[in-house]
Amino acid sequence: MEEILHSVFLDDERIACQIYAMLANDLLGEEQLEKIKLRYYDMHRNFFNYSKDEAEELGKSGRKVGTWNFSKGVEPFMPKGWTRHYEDTITVPIPITHTNFIDLTTRTEHRGAIGLDLPTWFNLKDNDRRIMIIAQDPLRGNKWYFDAFFKDGNYVCIDALVASPFGLHGKSWRDTKSGEGRMKLLVGKLLEQGYGIYLTDCRKYFVYDHKESDIYSSAKKGIYKDILKKEIDIIRPECIVAMGNKAYNYCVELLGNNPKLKHLPHFSGAAT
């Protein structure tokens, strides 16, 4: 299945260009376009690789695995003097310079763990049988990320930590038996049936913890829905699957009683 997934991962160049532009123009800022392209480039070429820490651990058991290779400028968060970092494939920061979201970096109370998942897709090229899967939030843990400057003995990363919905860009995430692994199996089965799959989140930024993220997302809901509408217009799916109540409510507000819209429980442990 892994080879099949990779063979059609990010496969439509025309859609890729539109998504890169949308992410720059509507989410991160035009100045971040080249970093967005590099991040996608790294996700594709490292599809079968593990982070440095994971590769070293697996090597102790005799497994020979590839190690993720980061392009210059899109490397894991590692400020000078910080000793607690680890090279996870979801910890790559990209600055947020877009006027709609610059408040994430200028707010008085600097608190990190700002998550953003770049949309991913499989088998969209020359394929009209497209399913759009919409998840809820780009969740991040705030244990490791405090600030881009040194404050009260802690660093805080106020850039977006950029990954992908359900971590399907990362081998170790696809290996799990939790939501990420279940999503890999679902996408694989749909690909076997000839469908093209596009994955995205309805709420684009996760901010520090669930409480703060809920407050922020409520303030940005209109903008988030406009971005989601652009994604739908780009992909033109024949079916839209909202995973979880948050995603479903966003879609109902945006699309109304549309027969294309389906509702499934989220793949998190509690929902399952």
Side-chain angles (χ1 to χ4, degrees):
M1 181 183 292
E2 293 280 310
E3 292 288 348
I4 294 173
L5 288 170
H6 186 246
S7 68
V8 292
F9 183 53
L10 310 177
D11 66 334
D12 191 306
E13 186 174 344
R14 182 185 63 83
I15 284 178
C17 290
Q18 291 178 285
I19 296 301
Y20 300 161
M22 181 274 295
L23 290 166
N25 296 336
D26 297 296
L27 272 169
L28 283 164
E30 295 178 2
E31 304 89 341
Q32 311 310 328
L33 180 59
E34 290 308 310
K35 288 193 174 186
I36 292 167
K37 291 179 179 180
L38 280 176
R39 186 66 169 126
Y40 273 106
Y41 170 69
D42 281 358
M43 288 196 295
H44 189 273
R45 70 191 178 107
N46 288 287
F47 194 77
F48 298 104
N49 295 341
Y50 293 84
S51 71
K52 181 181 178 181
D53 293 341
E54 292 164 342
E56 289 177 354
E57 188 63 29
L58 290 169
K60 294 177 183 178
S61 63
R63 285 185 62 183
K64 292 183 179 180
V65 298
T67 301
W68 189 283
N69 183 21
F70 297 93
S71 294
K72 187 176 182 180
V74 283
E75 298 120 324
F77 176 60
M78 187 173 56
K80 185 178 180 180
W82 202 43
T83 60
R84 297 180 306 161
H85 97 288
Y86 63 107
E87 293 191 5
D88 195 346
T89 63
I90 68 168
T91 66
V92 174
I94 295 180
I96 304 166
T97 54
H98 196 286
T99 54
N100 285 340
F101 302 105
I102 194 68
D103 54 344
L104 286 170
T105 63
T106 60
R107 67 197 194 279
T108 303
E109 187 174 19
H110 291 285
R111 297 203 288 182
I114 301 168
L116 172 65
D117 285 343
L118 301 185
T120 54
W121 58 91
F122 300 82
N123 197 35
L124 294 187
K125 188 175 182 180
D126 300 323
N127 189 355
D128 293 330
R129 303 179 67 203
R130 297 176 177 179
I131 297 174
M132 186 172 185
I133 298 176
I134 303 174
Q136 298 183 162
D137 293 285
L139 300 178
R140 297 291 183 273
N142 59 33
K143 176 181 178 181
W144 296 93
Y145 303 101
F146 296 94
D147 222 288
F149 56 86
F150 199 68
K151 179 182 179 183
D152 300 329
N154 293 318
Y155 284 100
V156 181
C157 180
I158 54 175
D159 296 339
L161 296 170
V162 178
S164 66
F166 295 95
L168 293 190
H169 73 282
K171 182 71 172 72
S172 61
W173 294 97
R174 298 194 304 274
D175 287 348
T176 69
K177 294 182 180 179
S178 56
E180 294 83 6
R182 288 192 284 270
M183 180 55 70
K184 181 196 78 170
L185 293 174
L186 174 60
V187 170
K189 290 295 183 182
L190 292 171
L191 292 178
E192 288 178 2
Q193 299 299 318
Y195 290 101
I197 308 298
Y198 178 89
L199 299 106
T200 193
D201 294 314
C202 66
R203 307 203 312 185
K204 299 307 182 183
Y205 284 108
F206 183 83
V207 186
Y208 188 71
D209 61 14
H210 288 286
K211 180 179 179 181
E212 188 162 342
S213 195
D214 286 345
I215 294 170
Y216 191 79
S217 294
S218 294
K220 304 293 183 177
K221 190 172 187 179
I223 299 173
Y224 286 169
K225 287 196 294 184
D226 288 344
I227 295 171
L228 187 59
K229 179 63 166 59
K230 287 186 179 183
E231 292 181 272
I232 293 171
D233 290 342
I234 291 170
I235 302 304
R236 295 178 286 107
E238 70 172 24
C239 178
I240 298 172
V241 179
M243 303 202 73
N245 292 331
K246 292 176 185 174
Y248 182 66
N249 291 337
Y250 261 70
C251 290
V252 169
E253 290 180 22
L254 187 62
L255 302 171
N257 187 23
N258 192 315
K260 289 184 178 181
L261 179 60
K262 313 298 180 186
H263 184 200
L264 289 181
H266 197 273
F267 270 6
S268 66
T272 304

